[in-house]
Amino acid sequence: MPSALSRLLEEHQVIRRLSSALEWLSIRFGSGSGVDEDFLRSLYSLLDFVSLCHHEREEEVLFPALSGLEGVPDLVNDAISDHREFSQLTQRLKDSIEAGDLTSASDAAAAASSLLKRHIEWEEAGLFATAEASLPSDVKESISKRLSEAGEGCSLDQAVRDLEIIYQAMGGG
């Protein structure tokens, strides 16, 4: 039987690749090189996908179901804190790019990359594993159904297409 969190796990694969692209971007900006408009458009779309789709779905669907489990509310609060920090780093990255401050943009991209990598590993090993092991079957089925209902502008297929544009620009296809 597939995981109740299959949709979030699929999104995590996209986010892992985004974190690698952010690391590449940090190095590029650190060397004083910019990127083209298509790259930025796709990057901004992916950053929004993470914050406005993925994180929002976790907070609205998964986290409320987990909050009633013993010892989990603190983990949920930690996850939400990471989500807020990512949103702040995303805004700092966008603002720095728009201002032409590649040093600040490089720092923000590196910090966002590091946060995403750490957060996803922690989330899968902690919160997701707890959900799979502890939630009743009917709750997991409900979570799975609700997660599969993508919100407006929350297309995983579009996120993958944006990622392809970024990787093409990176020279990695």
Side-chain angles (χ1 to χ4, degrees), residues 7 10 14 49 154-164:
R7 172 64 185 227
E10 287 177 44
V14 169
F49 176 82
C154 291
S155 167
L156 182 58
D157 290 338
Q158 182 59 51
V160 169
R161 285 190 296 274
D162 285 327
L163 199 54
E164 288 171 4

Side-chain angles (χ1 to χ4, degrees), residues 77-96:
N77 289 336
D78 290 345
I80 291 170
S81 178
D82 280 355
H83 292 177
R84 298 300 169 264
E85 183 178 352
F86 178 75
S87 291
Q88 292 168 351
L89 287 168
T90 294
Q91 191 59 55
R92 187 172 126 211
L93 175 61
K94 290 176 180 180
D95 290 346
S96 297

Side-chain angles (χ1 to χ4, degrees), residues 15-16 34 40 45 50 56 81 85 108 167:
I15 295 168
R16 278 186 174 89
L40 287 180
S45 177
V50 173
E56 189 171 300
S81 178
E85 183 178 352
Y167 270 75

Side-chain angles (χ1 to χ4, degrees), residues 28-86:
R28 184 159 178 94
F29 283 163
S31 71
S33 299
V35 291
D36 67 25
E37 288 300 316
D38 288 338
F39 184 101
L40 287 180
R41 194 173 11 265
S42 292
L43 175 67
Y44 291 175
S45 177
L46 278 167
L47 294 172
D48 289 345
F49 176 82
V50 173
S51 291
L52 302 176
C53 298
H54 178 77
H55 288 166
E56 189 171 300
R57 236 189 319 274
E58 286 179 338
E59 291 177 19
E60 290 180 1
V61 178
L62 177 61
F63 294 173
L66 288 171
S67 291
L69 299 175
E70 187 175 329
V72 177
D74 288 340
L75 296 176
V76 167
N77 289 336
D78 290 345
I80 291 170
S81 178
D82 280 355
H83 292 177
R84 298 300 169 264
E85 183 178 352
F86 178 75

Side-chain angles (χ1 to χ4, degrees), residues 102-118:
L102 295 184
T103 300
S104 179
S106 175
D107 292 345
S113 173
S114 178
L115 174 65
L116 284 177
K117 287 177 184 178
R118 177 190 55 76

